[in-house]
Amino acid sequence: MTLDNIKQEINKANSIILLTHENPDGDAIGSSLAFHLALKEYGKESDVVIPDYPKTYSFLPGAEEIKTEGRQETYDLAIALDCADIKRLNGFASYFENAKTRIMIDHHSKNTMFGDVNYVNPVAPACSQILITVLGYMGIEINKEIGTCILAGIITDTGGFKYSSVTAETFEFVSELLGKGINVSNIYRRVLEIKTRPNFELTKIAMNRLEFLENGRITFTYITKEDLEKVEAQTGDYEGIVEMGRGIEGVEVSVFLREEDNGFKASLRSNDYVNVADVCLMFGGGGHIKAAGCNLQGNVEQVKTKIVNEIKKYLK
Ligand code: 5GP
Ligand code: MN
């Protein structure tokens, strides 16, 4: 049984590295830190390696222990969290490949099953929520610190408990955390509500550029490298901008492009029936049914045409 394999491999390992996806969000970071703290409780040291992450999450317990690279080339055990594809391992696929044993824990439906032991629950709203089961199986108690990291992941990936992916277990867990005296409202505010100034400035720019396409069923907007420089954006200051379009009446898909050195990173969100993971898969990306992403080459107009033409195939 997979959970038992995970436990046995952890028991055997003397060196463990925890890895997550590039452009790490609250679930990537929350899952990594929750597992790191839990392993410590279990009597195992681990290295959490995340090269760069939004400073919004630096308040999370254990964040000061995040490393920008591994301490050794080869670990006994590598654990990938919240990552659907080995190509997205933060540029650290080699640590995963070089490890003697590889475990992958994730909640993306389009997962490529790239570990030796794969534990994927596509119904879980966040990878961090899966860890409740994993830690429970290992007999590790979820203390305040671990609970805070798990909660940060859930809040991020459910948009603050509002996506359809939320399950009964989500609220049971939050109820337990409240019972343990964890300040859920404060974590919610820090993860989701407080915006950095550059994020606010970028949101204004994106809002002004937002267009309605296909009879108002698609919204499209973008930010350029120049915008990012102008507002002195840091990693993650563009998070959440894609949500703006999805909240407008009649909109099915929201598209947000962010210019990178080599083309654009696209973020897609849908409301009801368009599977944006399928749309993104067409361009080598992926994600979830209602939240997905991919990378595209070309100028804004070319990229817009490519994505919109693909989405149109799914519109009712
Ligand atoms: P976001 O739009 O917030 O960057 O990403 C939304 C979801 O899609 C996340 O679950 C993220 O992991 C996934 N995603 C974003 N970009 C890519 C990509 O290029 N490839 C894959 N496989 N998934 C992606
Ligand atoms: Mn996630």
Side-chain angles (χ1 to χ4, degrees):
M1 174 201 178
T2 312
L3 283 172
D4 203 53
N5 291 342
I6 292 175
K7 185 176 168 178
Q8 298 310 329
E9 293 304 338
I10 289 172
N11 286 345
K12 274 196 276 175
N14 288 315
S15 57
I16 303 175
I17 185 167
L18 303 178
L19 300 164
T20 189
H21 68 78
E22 60 192 10
N23 277 325
D25 56 12
D27 188 27
I29 300 157
S31 297
S32 304
L33 290 176
F35 217 71
H36 172 67
L37 297 174
L39 286 173
K40 206 179 271 195
E41 290 294 310
Y42 196 64
K44 293 276 178 179
E45 282 304 316
S46 64
D47 290 344
V48 189
V49 179
I50 306 176
D52 190 19
Y53 64 94
K55 61 179 185 304
T56 322
Y57 303 110
S58 53
F59 81 95
L60 288 177
E64 65 289 349
E65 290 168 31
I66 291 176
K67 295 184 165 47
T68 50
E69 55 183 51
R71 279 188 296 187
Q72 54 204 70
E73 290 281 305
T74 312
Y75 286 79
D76 286 345
L77 179 61
I79 305 177
L81 296 153
D82 196 32
C83 186
D85 189 324
I86 193 164
K87 291 196 295 262
R88 297 198 78 225
L89 271 184
N90 246 331
F92 287 140
S94 62
Y95 287 120
F96 197 80
E97 281 160 350
N98 293 341
K100 289 182 197 142
T101 309
R102 297 160 284 237
I103 293 177
M104 194 275 297
I105 301 175
D106 185 38
H107 70 128
H108 292 86
S109 52
K110 299 270 181 316
N111 192 293
T112 58
M113 301 291 189
F114 57 91
D116 303 316
V117 180
N118 298 300
Y119 190 63
V120 178
N121 178 1
V123 177
C127 180
S128 70
Q129 186 170 310
I130 301 175
L131 298 185
I132 302 170
T133 310
V134 178
L135 303 190
Y137 186 84
M138 294 178 68
I140 304 169
E141 199 212 329
I142 296 180
N143 60 23
K144 270 192 178 186
E145 287 73 30
I146 299 171
T148 298
C149 295
I150 293 179
L151 183 64
I154 293 176
I155 290 172
T156 303
D157 270 22
T158 60
F161 312 117
K162 73 176 185 259
Y163 299 161
S164 51
S165 53
V166 164
T167 63
E169 192 193 8
T170 313
F171 288 114
E172 281 156 17
F173 177 68
V174 175
S175 158
E176 260 175 54
L177 292 186
L178 285 167
K180 288 181 184 171
I182 294 184
N183 192 335
V184 173
S185 141
N186 178 263
I187 299 166
Y188 189 105
R189 200 173 131 66
R190 296 189 79 151
V191 169
L192 221 56
E193 283 191 351
I194 302 173
K195 304 265 179 259
T196 61
R197 264 301 284 275
N199 179 287
F200 181 74
E201 299 300 339
L202 289 175
T203 306
K204 280 204 295 192
I205 295 170
M207 191 181 260
N208 278 326
R209 280 188 195 138
L210 187 130
E211 320 170 50
F212 292 92
L213 307 168
E214 299 299 310
N215 278 329
R217 289 172 296 173
I218 301 175
T219 58
F220 173 84
T221 190
Y222 65 94
I223 51 173
T224 62
K225 274 168 64 175
E226 205 182 315
D227 301 325
L228 291 161
E229 276 160 33
K230 199 172 75 195
V231 308
E232 296 179 18
Q234 308 274 312
T235 306
D237 278 334
Y238 31 76
E239 296 299 330
I241 295 177
V242 66
E243 299 296 337
M244 193 162 56
R246 170 155 81 166
I248 306 165
E249 190 179 21
V251 173
E252 173 56 21
V253 181
S254 165
V255 182
F256 169 63
L257 305 183
R258 168 171 57 88
E259 192 179 11
E260 290 185 326
D261 286 339
N262 193 15
F264 285 86
K265 173 88 217 174
S267 277
L268 272 69
R269 298 290 185 270
S270 67
N271 267 324
D272 213 15
Y273 60 90
V274 173
N275 183 336
V276 285
D278 282 347
V279 173
C280 290
L281 208 59
M282 283 299 293
F283 304 107
H288 308 283
I289 294 172
K290 294 182 177 178
C294 54
N295 292 289
L296 290 128
Q297 316 285 315
N299 62 32
V300 175
E301 280 308 312
Q302 290 165 333
V303 170
K304 174 172 139 186
T305 307
K306 277 191 226 176
I307 295 195
V308 170
N309 281 342
E310 192 55 36
I311 298 171
K312 267 161 68 176
K313 296 182 188 165
Y314 298 84
L315 287 177
K316 282 183 189 161

